[in-house]
Amino acid sequence: MRGPSTFEDLAAVIAVCLATAREDGKFEEIEFKAILDGLRAQYNFAGKDDLLADYIKYADQMNLEEAIHRIQRFDSEEKQFASDMLFITIASDGVLHPTEEEIYKSMVEVCDLPLFTGADKL
């Protein structure tokens, strides 16, 4: 699976993850760590904490509607990456509570994303 290649597109994924995590009113350090771990797993951010911080800062200031619009234009691999990042962020405590599932599914629908690749195993 391939994530987005442009700075703005990756920032859009981060922005939607941040918004989704905050939607349940319990944005926690574990959710932020899940976002960072997902990015580090997909991209080579080793030793580039300043660059990672730039992505987070830009994403935090990005208009959510703009972020969603960008994600809607992704190809299928980029959309799967975005969906997986969303899921990993919202279920970062290892549990997908019913309200979190509802939030995740509504964001998947709004962004026109497939479900998390491991959804069939849940």
Side-chain angles (χ1 to χ4, degrees):
M1 172 181 30
R2 173 181 47 81
S5 58
T6 70
F7 181 91
E8 292 81 3
D9 286 349
L10 182 54
V13 173
I14 298 167
V16 169
C17 288
L18 289 170
T20 303
R22 290 177 179 142
E23 180 75 20
D24 67 5
K26 300 181 304 183
F27 185 62
E28 300 173 2
E29 186 176 326
I30 193 169
E31 292 172 324
F32 189 67
K33 184 181 179 318
I35 293 170
L36 296 178
D37 289 348
L39 294 173
R40 287 184 180 119
Q42 181 70 22
Y43 298 92
N44 183 17
F45 281 113
K48 300 178 185 175
D49 287 342
D50 289 345
L51 178 59
L52 189 53
D54 287 344
Y55 274 100
I56 300 296
K57 182 179 178 182
Y58 188 83
D60 198 37
Q61 297 170 353
M62 183 178 264
N63 177 293
L64 185 56
E65 287 182 35
E66 175 191 348
I68 290 169
H69 184 67
R70 282 183 171 279
I71 290 171
Q72 289 170 335
R73 295 181 299 184
F74 284 3
D75 67 26
S76 61
E77 283 189 56
E78 293 168 325
K79 283 186 174 191
Q80 189 64 63
F81 173 81
S83 179
D84 290 358
M85 284 289 295
L86 278 169
F87 185 89
I88 289 166
T89 300
I90 203 160
S92 57
D93 62 357
V95 179
L96 187 64
H97 301 283
T99 54
E100 292 172 331
E101 182 178 8
E102 191 176 306
I103 293 165
Y104 168 73
K105 286 183 176 179
S106 66
M107 190 59 84
V108 161
E109 186 177 322
V110 167
C111 292
D112 187 32
L113 299 174
L115 291 176
F116 170 62
T117 53
D120 58 338
K121 296 177 181 131
L122 296 176

